[in-house]
Amino acid sequence: MTRSRKARLLRLLATLLFLALPAAAQAPLPLPPEDHAGWQAIGRVNTRGYNRRGMCSGTLVAPALVLTAAHCVAGPEGDPVDPARLHFVAGWLGGGYADHAQVASYEAHPEAYRGHRLDIEHDLAVLTLARPLTVAPLTLGRTSAPPFALLGYHDTQPNRLSARFDCDGAREHALLRLGCPVRPGNSGGPVLAREPGAPDAPWRVIGVVSATNARSTLAVPVDDWLRTRLTRGSPYTP
């Protein structure tokens, strides 16, 4: 298969996955409130204010850097969103939060949009906050073996973090296909994994949620562009 044909098929697949999500699809389960303290680096990427309902999910990966999906900061044609409309709220729970900040700027993956169309294989973006947060960031990992975890906020539980820690999955071309569906709002949220054979090891960010249907989720693995970007701006790169 040629590269251009594969790209067209992946873009079509992404569109179908976004549109195919039924209202009754099983979503990640609400995280018990007492467990939120361990996941405060995950938050809502909101538009037009800190508590508005237009949202994606995102992960603090350095004191002032948030990892999310490129399609969360661009319109349907890839037109950039004004950073002044974006706000990150870490650890959002029922109106409370661990910390928050305005987005000062952002950088989408340089290959995320080709000809004003999303290339799902590079659906990554890094947000630079107006100030560092006091929340401990999550670190990046390299493992791509199950079980995987999915955490984030979605349309039926917008004020409470939801999670799954038992997702199977495998690489499919340049993407990860996970056996757990998600919902609108989970886009940009982290995919996490542990080192194989180390059940007590910390969960590390190994990908970003991009699209879903009623049965599975497509995620973009952490790549060299992201690692290089964090090397420039973060002491937290493994």
Side-chain angles (χ1 to χ4, degrees):
M1 181 182 297
T2 66
R3 180 180 177 84
S4 61
R5 184 182 178 191
K6 185 182 77 169
R8 289 195 299 272
L9 288 175
L10 285 169
R11 287 195 295 267
L12 176 60
L13 176 61
T15 302
L16 292 174
L17 284 165
F18 280 122
L19 296 177
L21 181 64
Q26 182 181 3
L29 304 174
L31 194 69
E34 60 269 21
D35 292 344
H36 267 247
W39 300 103
Q40 292 182 340
I42 301 170
R44 286 181 24 166
V45 178
N46 294 333
T47 62
R48 299 183 182 277
Y50 81 95
N51 64 350
R52 299 300 178 89
R53 297 207 40 189
M55 65 176 189
C56 278
S57 298
T59 308
L60 194 71
V61 290
L65 295 178
V66 172
L67 175 61
T68 190
H71 76 259
C72 292
V73 295
E77 300 298 322
D79 300 318
V81 172
D82 184 351
R85 294 176 54 190
L86 303 174
H87 202 110
F88 179 69
V89 189
W92 178 261
L93 177 60
Y97 51 84
D99 206 347
H100 70 97
Q102 178 71 38
V103 174
S105 62
Y106 60 82
E107 184 178 358
H109 193 290
E111 297 184 56
Y113 283 90
R114 298 168 181 258
H116 295 284
R117 291 182 180 273
L118 176 67
D119 183 340
I120 194 174
E121 290 185 355
H122 305 289
D123 191 11
L124 299 172
V126 175
L127 316 180
T128 299
L129 303 179
R131 65 173 182 85
L133 301 190
T134 58
V135 176
L138 293 181
T139 56
L140 303 185
R142 298 183 182 273
T143 301
S144 58
F148 298 104
L150 293 171
L151 290 94
Y153 297 83
H154 57 77
D155 57 346
T156 62
Q157 292 285 343
N159 297 311
R160 183 175 175 181
L161 193 63
S162 296
R164 290 284 299 269
F165 294 93
D166 59 348
C167 300
D168 60 8
R171 289 293 290 260
E172 186 171 298
H173 299 294
L175 299 170
L176 275 171
R177 181 181 289 277
L178 308 178
C180 295
V182 291
R183 291 198 56 86
N186 281 119
S187 289
V191 179
L192 304 105
R194 287 171 160 158
E195 291 300 318
D200 296 326
W203 290 95
R204 298 185 186 277
V205 180
I206 57 91
V208 171
V209 171
S210 180
T212 190
N213 62 13
R215 298 171 301 280
S216 61
T217 292
L218 286 181
V220 183
V222 167
D223 66 2
D224 289 340
W225 171 81
L226 178 60
R227 293 183 187 280
T228 300
R229 178 66 182 82
L230 293 188
T231 300
R232 300 202 306 265
S234 170
Y236 290 87
T237 305

mmCIF file of all heavy atoms in Angstrom, residues 191-221:
data_model
loop_
_atom_site.group_PDB
_atom_site.id
_atom_site.type_symbol
_atom_site.label_atom_id
_atom_site.label_comp_id
_atom_site.label_asym_id
_atom_site.label_seq_id
_atom_site.Cartn_x
_atom_site.Cartn_y
_atom_site.Cartn_z
ATOM 1 N N VAL A 191 -2.965 7.617 27.365
ATOM 2 C CA VAL A 191 -2.905 6.160 27.438
ATOM 3 C C VAL A 191 -1.663 5.838 28.260
ATOM 4 O O VAL A 191 -0.582 6.364 28.000
ATOM 5 C CB VAL A 191 -2.784 5.526 26.038
ATOM 6 C CG1 VAL A 191 -2.707 4.009 26.153
ATOM 7 C CG2 VAL A 191 -3.950 5.950 25.162
ATOM 8 N N LEU A 192 -1.831 4.991 29.278
ATOM 9 C CA LEU A 192 -0.735 4.695 30.185
ATOM 10 C C LEU A 192 -0.437 3.206 30.212
ATOM 11 O O LEU A 192 -1.304 2.380 29.932
ATOM 12 C CB LEU A 192 -1.055 5.184 31.608
ATOM 13 C CG LEU A 192 -1.393 6.670 31.739
ATOM 14 C CD1 LEU A 192 -2.892 6.837 31.933
ATOM 15 C CD2 LEU A 192 -0.637 7.323 32.874
ATOM 16 N N ALA A 193 0.797 2.882 30.548
ATOM 17 C CA ALA A 193 1.211 1.480 30.673
ATOM 18 C C ALA A 193 2.304 1.383 31.720
ATOM 19 O O ALA A 193 2.933 2.381 32.103
ATOM 20 C CB ALA A 193 1.710 0.939 29.339
ATOM 21 N N ARG A 194 2.499 0.145 32.188
ATOM 22 C CA ARG A 194 3.575 -0.154 33.135
ATOM 23 C C ARG A 194 4.611 -1.036 32.462
ATOM 24 O O ARG A 194 4.338 -1.674 31.437
ATOM 25 C CB ARG A 194 3.009 -0.888 34.354
ATOM 26 C CG ARG A 194 2.203 -0.023 35.300
ATOM 27 C CD ARG A 194 1.521 -0.869 36.330
ATOM 28 N NE ARG A 194 1.127 -0.096 37.496
ATOM 29 C CZ ARG A 194 0.171 -0.454 38.335
ATOM 30 N NH1 ARG A 194 -0.499 -1.588 38.121
ATOM 31 N NH2 ARG A 194 -0.123 0.295 39.373
ATOM 32 N N GLU A 195 5.793 -1.082 33.046
ATOM 33 C CA GLU A 195 6.809 -1.992 32.530
ATOM 34 C C GLU A 195 6.315 -3.431 32.671
ATOM 35 O O GLU A 195 5.744 -3.805 33.700
ATOM 36 C CB GLU A 195 8.114 -1.814 33.306
ATOM 37 C CG GLU A 195 8.804 -0.474 33.048
ATOM 38 C CD GLU A 195 9.159 -0.281 31.592
ATOM 39 O OE1 GLU A 195 9.625 -1.257 30.959
ATOM 40 O OE2 GLU A 195 8.962 0.830 31.075
ATOM 41 N N PRO A 196 6.510 -4.266 31.648
ATOM 42 C CA PRO A 196 6.044 -5.658 31.726
ATOM 43 C C PRO A 196 6.643 -6.391 32.922
ATOM 44 O O PRO A 196 7.828 -6.251 33.226
ATOM 45 C CB PRO A 196 6.557 -6.254 30.401
ATOM 46 C CG PRO A 196 6.726 -5.090 29.496
ATOM 47 C CD PRO A 196 7.150 -3.948 30.365
ATOM 48 N N GLY A 197 5.797 -7.143 33.613
ATOM 49 C CA GLY A 197 6.254 -7.917 34.757
ATOM 50 C C GLY A 197 6.500 -7.092 35.998
ATOM 51 O O GLY A 197 7.072 -7.606 36.967
ATOM 52 N N ALA A 198 6.061 -5.838 35.999
ATOM 53 C CA ALA A 198 6.277 -4.967 37.168
ATOM 54 C C ALA A 198 4.951 -4.343 37.579
ATOM 55 O O ALA A 198 4.701 -3.154 37.318
ATOM 56 C CB ALA A 198 7.317 -3.896 36.849
ATOM 57 N N PRO A 199 4.055 -5.116 38.222
ATOM 58 C CA PRO A 199 2.720 -4.612 38.550
ATOM 59 C C PRO A 199 2.720 -3.442 39.531
ATOM 60 O O PRO A 199 1.723 -2.731 39.627
ATOM 61 C CB PRO A 199 2.016 -5.836 39.151
ATOM 62 C CG PRO A 199 3.121 -6.723 39.623
ATOM 63 C CD PRO A 199 4.246 -6.518 38.658
ATOM 64 N N ASP A 200 3.814 -3.243 40.253
ATOM 65 C CA ASP A 200 3.882 -2.129 41.196
ATOM 66 C C ASP A 200 4.604 -0.915 40.623
ATOM 67 O O ASP A 200 4.776 0.089 41.313
ATOM 68 C CB ASP A 200 4.593 -2.580 42.483
ATOM 69 C CG ASP A 200 3.813 -3.656 43.229
ATOM 70 O OD1 ASP A 200 2.567 -3.607 43.191
ATOM 71 O OD2 ASP A 200 4.444 -4.543 43.835
ATOM 72 N N ALA A 201 5.036 -1.008 39.372
ATOM 73 C CA ALA A 201 5.718 0.121 38.739
ATOM 74 C C ALA A 201 4.717 1.241 38.463
ATOM 75 O O ALA A 201 3.516 1.002 38.322
ATOM 76 C CB ALA A 201 6.374 -0.335 37.432
ATOM 77 N N PRO A 202 5.184 2.483 38.380
ATOM 78 C CA PRO A 202 4.257 3.591 38.095
ATOM 79 C C PRO A 202 3.704 3.519 36.679
ATOM 80 O O PRO A 202 4.368 3.030 35.760
ATOM 81 C CB PRO A 202 5.137 4.837 38.274
ATOM 82 C CG PRO A 202 6.528 4.358 38.044
ATOM 83 C CD PRO A 202 6.569 2.959 38.567
ATOM 84 N N TRP A 203 2.488 4.005 36.515
ATOM 85 C CA TRP A 203 1.907 4.142 35.186
ATOM 86 C C TRP A 203 2.575 5.318 34.491
ATOM 87 O O TRP A 203 2.733 6.389 35.075
ATOM 88 C CB TRP A 203 0.407 4.396 35.275
ATOM 89 C CG TRP A 203 -0.407 3.241 35.746
ATOM 90 C CD1 TRP A 203 -0.817 3.002 37.031
ATOM 91 C CD2 TRP A 203 -0.932 2.166 34.951
ATOM 92 N NE1 TRP A 203 -1.562 1.851 37.082
ATOM 93 C CE2 TRP A 203 -1.652 1.316 35.824
ATOM 94 C CE3 TRP A 203 -0.868 1.852 33.601
ATOM 95 C CZ2 TRP A 203 -2.301 0.172 35.375
ATOM 96 C CZ3 TRP A 203 -1.512 0.714 33.140
ATOM 97 C CH2 TRP A 203 -2.223 -0.112 34.016
ATOM 98 N N ARG A 204 2.963 5.128 33.227
ATOM 99 C CA ARG A 204 3.608 6.184 32.457
ATOM 100 C C ARG A 204 2.826 6.433 31.164
ATOM 101 O O ARG A 204 2.182 5.532 30.626
ATOM 102 C CB ARG A 204 5.058 5.827 32.134
ATOM 103 C CG ARG A 204 5.928 5.648 33.386
ATOM 104 C CD ARG A 204 7.385 5.407 32.996
ATOM 105 N NE ARG A 204 8.215 5.091 34.147
ATOM 106 C CZ ARG A 204 8.761 5.988 34.962
ATOM 107 N NH1 ARG A 204 8.548 7.283 34.722
ATOM 108 N NH2 ARG A 204 9.500 5.627 35.979
ATOM 109 N N VAL A 205 2.911 7.652 30.671
ATOM 110 C CA VAL A 205 2.176 8.049 29.474
ATOM 111 C C VAL A 205 2.883 7.493 28.240
ATOM 112 O O VAL A 205 4.054 7.801 27.998
ATOM 113 C CB VAL A 205 2.078 9.578 29.367
ATOM 114 C CG1 VAL A 205 1.298 9.973 28.108
ATOM 115 C CG2 VAL A 205 1.419 10.169 30.605
ATOM 116 N N ILE A 206 2.165 6.682 27.460
ATOM 117 C CA ILE A 206 2.762 6.100 26.257
ATOM 118 C C ILE A 206 1.972 6.459 24.994
ATOM 119 O O ILE A 206 2.351 6.059 23.900
ATOM 120 C CB ILE A 206 2.925 4.564 26.390
ATOM 121 C CG1 ILE A 206 1.583 3.866 26.686
ATOM 122 C CG2 ILE A 206 3.927 4.253 27.487
ATOM 123 C CD1 ILE A 206 0.833 3.421 25.469
ATOM 124 N N GLY A 207 0.882 7.211 25.144
ATOM 125 C CA GLY A 207 0.099 7.589 23.980
ATOM 126 C C GLY A 207 -0.987 8.588 24.333
ATOM 127 O O GLY A 207 -1.170 8.951 25.504
ATOM 128 N N VAL A 208 -1.724 9.027 23.305
ATOM 129 C CA VAL A 208 -2.784 10.022 23.447
ATOM 130 C C VAL A 208 -4.022 9.535 22.698
ATOM 131 O O VAL A 208 -3.921 9.090 21.540
ATOM 132 C CB VAL A 208 -2.337 11.384 22.884
ATOM 133 C CG1 VAL A 208 -3.495 12.364 22.812
ATOM 134 C CG2 VAL A 208 -1.215 11.965 23.734
ATOM 135 N N VAL A 209 -5.189 9.611 23.319
ATOM 136 C CA VAL A 209 -6.453 9.198 22.697
ATOM 137 C C VAL A 209 -6.779 10.120 21.522
ATOM 138 O O VAL A 209 -6.730 11.346 21.647
ATOM 139 C CB VAL A 209 -7.591 9.233 23.723
ATOM 140 C CG1 VAL A 209 -8.944 9.018 23.039
ATOM 141 C CG2 VAL A 209 -7.373 8.181 24.800
ATOM 142 N N SER A 210 -7.127 9.506 20.383
ATOM 143 C CA SER A 210 -7.455 10.298 19.200
ATOM 144 C C SER A 210 -8.877 10.053 18.707
ATOM 145 O O SER A 210 -9.585 10.995 18.377
ATOM 146 C CB SER A 210 -6.461 10.000 18.074
ATOM 147 O OG SER A 210 -6.761 10.756 16.917
ATOM 148 N N ALA A 211 -9.327 8.785 18.620
ATOM 149 C CA ALA A 211 -10.638 8.482 18.038
ATOM 150 C C ALA A 211 -11.160 7.184 18.620
ATOM 151 O O ALA A 211 -10.420 6.391 19.198
ATOM 152 C CB ALA A 211 -10.530 8.367 16.518
ATOM 153 N N THR A 212 -12.467 6.944 18.445
ATOM 154 C CA THR A 212 -13.079 5.756 19.029
ATOM 155 C C THR A 212 -14.329 5.345 18.265
ATOM 156 O O THR A 212 -14.888 6.117 17.491
ATOM 157 C CB THR A 212 -13.441 6.002 20.512
ATOM 158 O OG1 THR A 212 -13.818 4.766 21.120
ATOM 159 C CG2 THR A 212 -14.587 6.986 20.646
ATOM 160 N N ASN A 213 -14.731 4.094 18.482
ATOM 161 C CA ASN A 213 -16.060 3.651 18.086
ATOM 162 C C ASN A 213 -16.640 2.888 19.272
ATOM 163 O O ASN A 213 -16.162 3.015 20.389
ATOM 164 C CB ASN A 213 -16.034 2.817 16.794
ATOM 165 C CG ASN A 213 -15.226 1.538 16.929
ATOM 166 O OD1 ASN A 213 -14.858 1.118 18.033
ATOM 167 N ND2 ASN A 213 -14.933 0.913 15.811
ATOM 168 N N ALA A 214 -17.678 2.088 19.062
ATOM 169 C CA ALA A 214 -18.333 1.415 20.187
ATOM 170 C C ALA A 214 -17.505 0.275 20.768
ATOM 171 O O ALA A 214 -17.852 -0.257 21.818
ATOM 172 C CB ALA A 214 -19.695 0.879 19.744
ATOM 173 N N ARG A 215 -16.427 -0.103 20.115
ATOM 174 C CA ARG A 215 -15.676 -1.276 20.555
ATOM 175 C C ARG A 215 -14.221 -1.003 20.896
ATOM 176 O O ARG A 215 -13.627 -1.727 21.687
ATOM 177 C CB ARG A 215 -15.711 -2.360 19.446
ATOM 178 C CG ARG A 215 -17.108 -2.846 19.128
ATOM 179 C CD ARG A 215 -17.110 -3.739 17.900
ATOM 180 N NE ARG A 215 -16.586 -3.056 16.727
ATOM 181 C CZ ARG A 215 -17.297 -2.208 15.987
ATOM 182 N NH1 ARG A 215 -18.549 -1.939 16.308
ATOM 183 N NH2 ARG A 215 -16.754 -1.639 14.930
ATOM 184 N N SER A 216 -13.616 0.006 20.287
ATOM 185 C CA SER A 216 -12.187 0.199 20.468
ATOM 186 C C SER A 216 -11.819 1.669 20.351
ATOM 187 O O SER A 216 -12.637 2.508 19.964
ATOM 188 C CB SER A 216 -11.398 -0.626 19.438
ATOM 189 O OG SER A 216 -11.718 -0.210 18.121
ATOM 190 N N THR A 217 -10.570 1.955 20.680
ATOM 191 C CA THR A 217 -10.049 3.318 20.664
ATOM 192 C C THR A 217 -8.741 3.331 19.888
ATOM 193 O O THR A 217 -7.916 2.429 20.039
ATOM 194 C CB THR A 217 -9.817 3.814 22.104
ATOM 195 O OG1 THR A 217 -11.085 3.958 22.753
ATOM 196 C CG2 THR A 217 -9.085 5.145 22.144
ATOM 197 N N LEU A 218 -8.547 4.358 19.078
ATOM 198 C CA LEU A 218 -7.272 4.576 18.416
ATOM 199 C C LEU A 218 -6.493 5.627 19.180
ATOM 200 O O LEU A 218 -7.035 6.683 19.537
ATOM 201 C CB LEU A 218 -7.469 5.036 16.971
ATOM 202 C CG LEU A 218 -7.929 3.988 15.962
ATOM 203 C CD1 LEU A 218 -8.056 4.625 14.589
ATOM 204 C CD2 LEU A 218 -6.965 2.812 15.906
ATOM 205 N N ALA A 219 -5.225 5.343 19.431
ATOM 206 C CA ALA A 219 -4.356 6.258 20.166
ATOM 207 C C ALA A 219 -3.055 6.449 19.404
ATOM 208 O O ALA A 219 -2.581 5.557 18.710
ATOM 209 C CB ALA A 219 -4.068 5.707 21.566
ATOM 210 N N VAL A 220 -2.490 7.634 19.548
ATOM 211 C CA VAL A 220 -1.220 7.974 18.905
ATOM 212 C C VAL A 220 -0.098 7.736 19.912
ATOM 213 O O VAL A 220 -0.086 8.349 20.987
ATOM 214 C CB VAL A 220 -1.211 9.442 18.453
ATOM 215 C CG1 VAL A 220 0.088 9.766 17.721
ATOM 216 C CG2 VAL A 220 -2.424 9.747 17.591
ATOM 217 N N PRO A 221 0.838 6.858 19.611
ATOM 218 C CA PRO A 221 1.934 6.622 20.557
ATOM 219 C C PRO A 221 2.822 7.854 20.705
ATOM 220 O O PRO A 221 2.971 8.661 19.774
ATOM 221 C CB PRO A 221 2.713 5.464 19.911
ATOM 222 C CG PRO A 221 1.757 4.829 18.954
ATOM 223 C CD PRO A 221 0.890 5.948 18.462
#
